[in-house]
């Protein structure tokens, strides 16, 4: 059994996914999701395996991560019937330390267009990427997930911009700030503001234990 991780971030104003060019068969030379085998002697459970794989590939230990679903059939791998447990993770791109694994010749970010990237992917990884993007976009409407795409400290305009970039539409500033206040998952960083042309912007961070909050209505 394997683990595959769809690592999503925002770079240059676009949702992007981390891919690795395979250096071994099958699909040598093709781009694929970071992944690896489950280590029964090391991994306490599936979540632990996913976090180990993520850290091995990126250097990130504690982002938002959620199990997507299991994928398995006789067509996804030319070697025969296989199954994988897919996860998706949200990280701030400046927190990444990209690493090439034993079977990866190159690591790079690829922009998501629609629900895909503009290159064929190994195995059934295109289907997995599409499922992860759909899950993220459906949850953005009623959760605090976009905050995990930002650095630990950010402004409210930063957060609103992330929501708008994922949803593909602009949001009313006053209504957005009211919803964030009602959700009560942010706290101001005492004494820290970002310089601006008119007045400094207050920096915020996610409250401890309040990383993923579900709103009482869509945003």
């Amino acid at each position: 059994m394997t683990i595959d991780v769809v690592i999503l971030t925002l770079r240059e104003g676009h949702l992007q996914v981390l891919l690795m060019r395979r250096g071994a068969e099958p699909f040598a030379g093709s781009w694929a999701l970071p992944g690896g085998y489950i280590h029964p002697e090391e991994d306490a459970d599936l979540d632990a395996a996913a976090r180990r794989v993520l850290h091995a590939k990126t250097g990130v230990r504690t982002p938002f991560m959620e199990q997507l679903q299991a994928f398995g059939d006789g067509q996804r791998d030319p070697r025969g019937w296989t199954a994988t447990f897919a996860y998706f993770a949200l990280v701030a791109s400046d927190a990444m330390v990209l690493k090439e694994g034993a079977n990866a010749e190159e690591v790079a970010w690829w922009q998501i267009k629609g629900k895909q990237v503009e290159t064929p992917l190994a195995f059934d990884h295109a289907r997995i990427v599409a499922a992860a993007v759909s899950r993220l976009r459906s949850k953005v409407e009623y959760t605090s997930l976009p905050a995990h795409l930002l650095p630990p400290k950010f402004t409210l305009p930063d957060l609103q911009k992330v929501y708008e970039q994922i949803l593909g539409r602009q949001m009313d500033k006053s209504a957005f700030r009211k919803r964030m206040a009602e959700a009560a998952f942010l706290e101001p960083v005492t004494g820290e503001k970002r310089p601006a042309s008119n007045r400094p912007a207050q920096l915020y961070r996610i409250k401890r234990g309040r990383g993923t909050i579900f709103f009482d209505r869509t945003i």
Side-chain angles (χ1 to χ4, degrees):
M1 291 287 189
T2 61
I3 296 285
D4 288 306
V5 185
V6 183
I7 303 169
L8 298 171
T9 195
L10 278 174
R11 288 167 51 87
E12 302 170 350
H14 300 284
L15 188 65
Q16 299 193 17
V17 62
L18 185 69
L19 298 177
M20 314 187 85
R21 190 189 295 275
R22 289 179 58 80
E25 294 292 350
F27 299 106
S30 295
W31 290 93
L33 293 169
Y37 288 100
I38 296 171
H39 297 170
E41 72 287 352
E42 179 181 354
D43 302 325
D45 51 30
L46 289 174
D47 288 358
R51 293 189 180 280
R52 174 182 54 77
V53 168
L54 179 68
H55 181 257
K57 304 299 184 183
T58 68
V60 173
R61 287 192 181 276
T62 56
F64 169 83
M65 182 178 285
E66 178 179 302
Q67 187 175 140
L68 186 60
Q69 68 181 78
F71 295 82
D73 56 45
Q75 287 73 52
R76 63 184 308 272
D77 190 326
R79 293 169 294 187
W81 208 104
T82 61
T84 190
F85 293 96
Y87 281 73
F88 80 98
L90 304 179
V91 297
S93 61
D94 60 357
M96 307 290 280
V97 181
L98 303 185
K99 300 179 181 180
E100 296 178 3
N103 65 340
E105 292 184 333
E106 185 180 354
V107 182
W109 290 105
W110 283 76
Q111 183 177 331
I112 298 290
K113 295 186 177 181
K115 297 181 182 179
Q116 299 291 348
V117 295
E118 293 185 331
T119 188
L121 299 185
F123 305 104
D124 57 351
H125 289 184
R127 179 166 58 130
I128 297 175
V129 169
V133 173
S134 293
R135 174 77 64 85
L136 172 62
R137 287 177 175 157
S138 68
K139 283 193 155 187
V140 165
E141 293 270 5
Y142 60 91
T143 72
S144 59
L145 288 189
H148 294 285
L149 293 167
L150 289 167
K153 300 175 185 179
F154 51 86
T155 66
L156 290 179
D158 291 338
L159 183 59
Q160 181 172 341
K161 186 176 181 180
V162 171
Y163 273 88
E164 291 175 340
Q165 288 171 334
I166 296 174
L167 291 173
R169 60 178 171 85
Q170 292 188 328
M171 310 178 75
D172 178 77
K173 178 180 176 180
S174 297
F176 177 82
R177 294 193 172 205
K178 180 180 179 181
R179 182 61 55 83
M180 295 302 105
E182 291 172 347
F185 70 98
L186 300 176
E187 63 183 7
V189 182
T190 303
E192 293 194 33
K193 295 185 178 182
R194 181 184 298 165
S197 57
N198 46 8
R199 64 177 183 176
Q202 176 66 52
L203 290 173
Y204 290 83
R205 62 190 170 202
I206 300 173
K207 291 181 180 178
R208 184 180 298 275
R210 300 281 288 174
T212 304
I213 301 301
F214 292 85
F215 306 150
D216 59 1
R217 61 190 185 281
T218 58
I219 197 166

